[in-house]
Amino acid sequence: MAHQQFSKVAVRLSGLQINWLRVIHVSRGHEAAVKELRTMYPKIGPTQADIIIENLYRAEALSGPSL
C-alpha cells in the first residue's frame, strides 16, 4: 500500500489579507475565498485552504463582528 505524505505550508496572513478574504467571502462566497487564498499561497492545497478559510470565519463568528 502506498503511503502519501501531505505537507503543511505555513500561512501567515496580514490584517489586510484577512480583510480582503473577508470581502471575497461575503461578496462571492466560500469557494471564491478559498481560490483567492490559493492564489496568494500557491503551494497550499485545496483542503488546507478550505480549512484555513473555515477557521478564519469560525473564529470571527465566535468573537463577533469587529467595528
Side-chain angles (χ1 to χ4, degrees):
M1 185 181 266
H3 176 72
Q4 250 184 329
Q5 188 169 1
F6 297 96
S7 65
K8 294 278 184 181
V9 177
V11 174
R12 301 213 185 273
L13 296 170
S14 69
L16 185 62
Q17 288 172 312
I18 291 170
N19 286 339
W20 177 244
L21 288 169
R22 181 181 300 122
V23 168
I24 299 293
H25 194 263
V26 169
S27 64
R28 297 196 332 239
H30 180 81
E31 291 303 316
V34 169
K35 185 176 178 183
E36 184 68 22
L37 179 59
R38 291 194 68 211
T39 300
M40 293 176 184
Y41 294 90
K43 289 186 177 185
I44 67 172
T47 303
Q48 186 181 0
D50 188 60
I51 291 168
I52 290 168
I53 295 295
E54 282 286 326
N55 289 341
L56 198 62
Y57 296 103
R58 184 175 299 128
E60 184 176 276
L62 291 175
S63 68
S66 56
L67 301 174

